[in-house]
Amino acid sequence: MGTNQNLTVAERIRKQFDSLTRAERQLANAILEDYPVSGLGSITAVSESSGVSTPTVARMAKKLGFGGFPQMQAQLHTELKATISSPIAKHDLWSESAPDTHILNRFADAVSENMRQTLKQIDPEEFNAVIDLLSDQKREIHVVGGRITRSMADNFFTHMQVMRSGVTLVAPNSNTWAHYVLNMNEGDILVAFDIRRYEHDILRLAEVAKSRGVTLVLFTDQWGSPAAKLATYSLNSRIEVPSAWDSLVVTLFLVEAVIAGVQAQTWDETKSRMKTLEELFDQTKMFKKFI
Amino acid sequence: MGTNQNLTVAERIRKQFDSLTRAERQLANAILEDYPVSGLGSITAVSESSGVSTPTVARMAKKLGFGGFPQMQAQLHTELKATISSPIAKHDLWSESAPDTHILNRFADAVSENMRQTLKQIDPEEFNAVIDLLSDQKREIHVVGGRITRSMADNFFTHMQVMRSGVTLVAPNSNTWAHYVLNMNEGDILVAFDIRRYEHDILRLAEVAKSRGVTLVLFTDQWGSPAAKLATYSLNSRIEVPSAWDSLVVTLFLVEAVIAGVQAQTWDETKSRMKTLEELFDQTKMFKKFI
DNA sequence: ATTTTTCTGAAAAAATATTTTCAGAAAATA
DNA sequence: TATTTTCTGAAAATATTTTTTCAGAAAAAT
């Protein structure tokens, strides 16, 4: 052995092929056949699929310089991971003029990873269902956020308000929420934002709303707010970044994607509403001097 | 179970995420983290790398409809083989379960392109200078946003407020702005958000502030708000997406990165402020019944 | 606050996987 | 062909993995 340390299993096999016995060659060929996934299962599975006995597999592993079959398999796993994790320059996204350790690049890394994970996890059916639900003009929409997510709620509200009527932003101060609940009716939708640290008030509002027949659409993080169990639809986003706070970038991405979806779905009406809005802006000429 | 037969492990996890317990969610996230290679090793290895016990892993496998952990692993192996043999996923970032034309994927494409472009043109020196400026406790900070960017301003304000004193959020209604100007003094900072369609009021506020010796830090889009010519520092982000509106995702990214930078810079003080804040939250026990 | 239920991981038990032993088979040598 | 050596796989021995059990911890309900 000695210098085999950093070689792949395939390289070791090729290097030592001449010294392999008949049964070992049969095994080696089977492994190279569908490399490296062929060595994935147990020694029994490998031996059966290649038509040799288990001792032969174990012996060859040692012959190739591994401590035993498990060690060889671990090496195959490592190679597999390297193959899978896309060679696409991870730092494709980086600001090249800043050093690797710069907060901009570390943040960019974290955010793009969050984005990837979130997209991987999202169920398009659920996403479409949310859009359908929010496009239903017969349902009133109530939007609520917490201390940190308030800005998400606000943003969501601002855009939805342009597209349709019957959208209410629940004020941040939970003292006033009873009044909002009064206006929640069966069939209405509550769009809630709740990421860690989850807010008890939001959970309670969700409970009360639920009891009035309101459908809950929840934007939360990967761990899932306690309100998730009440939610008909739950859109989870990854929020971890190198900071003392969590990142809402991916959450905002989902919000904007939902908004774009609703807009596409309701375009005929939205278009005319937007036009009217433009006219109103012009009329009120909000551009007065203020000093 | 029953109809779970042909689903991938990831799909099963997503489908049942709501019914998973705390430890199971932790495990599920770990598995999805580096999917599907994360489930490669023995149940012991998986449990250790995800920080849960082996029984939890075995239990979740059953919960997801498998006979046991080995069956789940076999499924992962199958998926892995499929992944390996398929041509390189062209869009690393995409939700694979949604079609190419789905709004989620089109949006993801646009956002990641925006991110790339933004990072490419950002000047790290300028970025660092902004962080230094905002970390200077001797300067008061005033934050203002427009109709759409209000949520960005709000978010920025919420976080800055935790880290330091002397931070004011200028109310959205420009009628009241004269009062805010009254409190702006030489050496203060005005952090303004202005993306198209640029708001005349913001420009005027910037002008007035400037005339009082206030330094302007501007978050704007790639074209640059008219206020850019007054700004000492201007952070531009790409905002175009397949939607009738512009995307604030990259802007939020910059905001969060700046906040993380300031936080790192002022950590000693920020840490104690955050601790005090926690205590205040506990004391005021905002969790009262409201109905 | 108390009770009940659910969840979780340590440890034991069961099931598998891996290695070793060893006898017969195959190949090499004489 | 006989003899020796090497190889191979069945079976036993050993090690590891996986599942089950169970008691305490955490969460939910009362």
Side-chain angles (χ1 to χ4, degrees):
Chain A
M1 39 216 74
T3 58
N4 267 0
Q5 294 313 324
N6 304 318
L7 299 178
T8 66
V9 173
E11 284 166 344
R12 295 184 196 210
I13 288 178
R14 271 182 226 117
K15 205 173 154 190
Q16 296 193 234
F17 198 83
D18 289 348
S19 73
L20 297 182
T21 66
R22 180 191 55 73
E24 284 168 352
R25 288 180 188 205
Q26 186 177 329
L27 168 61
N29 281 319
I31 290 179
L32 294 177
E33 182 85 9
D34 197 9
Y35 189 87
V37 285
S38 40
L40 238 49
S42 70
I43 193 172
T44 319
V46 172
S47 83
E48 277 179 7
S49 78
S50 59
V52 302
S53 69
T54 54
T56 298
V57 182
R59 275 191 287 257
M60 191 172 83
K62 286 200 169 164
K63 210 163 174 177
L64 294 178
F66 296 103
F69 176 77
Q71 284 72 22
M72 181 170 91
Q73 193 170 53
Q75 167 66 30
L76 283 170
H77 284 174
T78 306
E79 294 177 25
L80 204 48
K81 282 181 193 167
T83 310
I84 281 278
S85 67
S86 95
I88 290 174
K90 182 186 180 186
H91 298 167
D92 191 28
L93 216 63
W94 283 28
S95 160
E96 280 165 34
S97 43
D100 289 7
T101 52
H102 193 280
I103 185 73
L104 261 179
N105 285 335
R106 280 165 48 224
F107 224 89
D109 253 4
V111 165
S112 83
E113 186 58 24
N114 283 343
M115 189 89 152
R116 194 198 321 278
Q117 300 288 353
T118 301
L119 280 168
K120 203 176 282 177
Q121 193 170 176
I122 211 156
D123 178 0
E125 290 306 314
E126 188 168 4
F127 185 85
N128 293 340
V130 169
I131 289 173
D132 287 345
L133 186 73
L134 294 171
S135 301
D136 184 348
Q137 298 276 358
K138 288 187 295 296
R139 298 166 184 273
E140 300 263 315
I141 299 177
H142 310 265
V143 187
V144 68
R147 188 176 73 89
I148 297 292
T149 48
R150 187 178 62 197
S151 61
M152 292 291 116
D154 188 88
N155 188 282
F156 181 78
F157 167 74
T158 305
H159 286 103
M160 284 303 290
Q161 206 186 17
V162 174
M163 293 189 283
R164 43 165 296 173
S165 58
V167 187
T168 316
L169 179 63
V170 176
N173 183 350
S174 60
N175 289 333
T176 66
W177 287 2
H179 303 109
Y180 289 98
V181 172
L182 218 51
N183 290 324
M184 292 183 189
N185 299 306
E186 173 120 30
D188 282 6
I189 305 164
L190 175 63
V191 177
F193 292 81
D194 193 26
I195 66 163
R196 70 173 183 189
R197 318 175 10 175
Y198 313 111
E199 297 184 30
H200 199 262
D201 285 357
I202 301 254
L203 176 59
R204 291 202 51 78
L205 179 64
E207 282 167 355
V208 177
K210 185 96 182 178
S211 74
R212 293 178 67 97
V214 170
T215 303
L216 177 62
V217 174
L218 182 70
F219 284 85
T220 183
D221 55 40
Q222 69 239 53
W223 303 284
S225 126
K229 61 179 184 301
L230 301 170
T232 305
Y233 303 111
S234 171
L235 295 168
N236 306 52
S237 45
R238 297 257 165 173
I239 59 174
E240 283 181 304
V241 281
S243 160
W245 290 280
D246 293 317
S247 167
L248 289 175
V249 169
V250 180
T251 312
L252 181 60
F253 166 82
L254 288 180
V255 167
E256 289 186 351
V258 166
I259 288 167
V262 172
Q263 173 228 292
Q265 185 110 167
T266 62
W267 184 233
D268 284 346
E269 206 204 339
T270 300
K271 192 165 59 180
S272 70
R273 282 178 69 97
M274 284 182 80
K275 201 173 154 223
T276 311
L277 185 66
E278 291 295 327
E279 288 162 11
L280 285 170
F281 276 138
D282 286 350
Q283 274 174 39
T284 54
K285 282 253 197 254
M286 310 183 87
F287 312 149
K288 43 188 163 312
K289 291 194 179 178
F290 63 94
I291 205 164
Chain B
M1 42 214 72
T3 57
N4 268 1
Q5 294 313 323
N6 303 319
L7 299 179
T8 66
V9 173
E11 284 166 342
R12 294 184 196 211
I13 289 178
R14 248 179 263 133
K15 207 171 151 192
Q16 295 193 234
F17 195 84
D18 288 348
S19 74
L20 297 182
T21 64
R22 181 191 56 72
E24 285 168 349
R25 287 180 188 204
Q26 186 177 331
L27 168 62
N29 280 313
I31 290 178
L32 293 177
E33 185 88 8
D34 199 9
Y35 190 87
V37 285
S38 40
L40 235 50
S42 70
I43 193 172
T44 320
V46 172
S47 84
E48 276 179 8
S49 78
S50 59
V52 302
S53 66
T54 53
T56 299
V57 183
R59 276 190 287 254
M60 191 173 84
K62 288 202 167 160
K63 209 163 173 180
L64 294 179
F66 296 103
F69 176 76
Q71 284 72 24
M72 181 170 94
Q73 192 170 52
Q75 166 68 31
L76 282 170
H77 286 172
T78 307
E79 294 175 27
L80 206 47
K81 284 179 193 171
T83 308
I84 280 282
S85 55
S86 82
I88 296 169
K90 54 177 176 184
H91 290 103
D92 191 32
L93 214 63
W94 284 27
S95 160
E96 281 166 33
S97 41
D100 289 6
T101 53
H102 192 281
I103 185 74
L104 263 178
N105 284 334
R106 281 165 48 223
F107 223 90
D109 256 3
V111 165
S112 83
E113 186 57 25
N114 283 343
M115 190 91 150
R116 195 193 325 276
Q117 299 285 355
T118 301
L119 280 168
K120 201 175 285 173
Q121 56 92 55
I122 211 156
D123 177 1
E125 290 307 315
E126 186 168 6
F127 185 86
N128 293 340
V130 169
I131 288 173
D132 287 344
L133 186 71
L134 294 171
S135 302
D136 184 348
Q137 298 275 358
K138 290 187 294 295
R139 299 166 184 272
E140 300 264 317
I141 298 177
H142 310 265
V143 187
V144 68
R147 189 175 73 89
I148 298 290
T149 48
R150 188 179 60 197
S151 62
M152 293 291 115
D154 188 89
N155 189 282
F156 180 79
F157 167 74
T158 305
H159 286 104
M160 285 303 290
Q161 205 188 16
V162 174
M163 292 189 285
R164 44 165 295 172
S165 58
V167 187
T168 316
L169 179 63
V170 177
N173 183 350
S174 59
N175 290 332
T176 66
W177 287 3
H179 303 109
Y180 289 97
V181 172
L182 218 50
N183 290 322
M184 292 182 191
N185 300 306
E186 173 121 28
D188 283 6
I189 306 163
L190 175 63
V191 177
F193 291 82
D194 193 28
I195 65 164
R196 70 171 181 193
R197 316 176 23 173
Y198 312 111
E199 297 185 32
H200 198 261
D201 286 357
I202 302 256
L203 175 59
R204 290 202 51 75
L205 179 63
E207 282 167 356
V208 177
K210 185 94 183 178
S211 73
R212 294 177 67 96
V214 170
T215 303
L216 178 63
V217 174
L218 182 70
F219 284 86
T220 182
D221 56 39
Q222 68 241 53
W223 303 285
S225 128
K229 61 180 185 298
L230 301 170
T232 306
Y233 303 111
S234 171
L235 295 167
N236 307 54
S237 45
R238 299 258 166 169
I239 59 172
E240 282 181 305
V241 280
S243 160
W245 290 281
D246 292 316
S247 167
L248 289 175
V249 169
V250 180
T251 312
L252 181 59
F253 166 81
L254 288 180
V255 168
E256 289 186 352
V258 166
I259 288 168
V262 173
Q263 174 227 292
Q265 186 109 166
T266 63
W267 184 232
D268 283 345
E269 205 204 338
T270 301
K271 193 164 57 177
S272 69
R273 284 179 67 97
M274 285 183 78
K275 200 171 152 225
T276 310
L277 185 65
E278 292 293 328
E279 287 161 10
L280 286 171
F281 277 136
D282 286 350
Q283 276 172 39
T284 54
K285 282 256 196 254
M286 314 184 85
F287 313 146
K288 45 187 159 314
K289 291 193 179 179
F290 64 92
I291 202 166

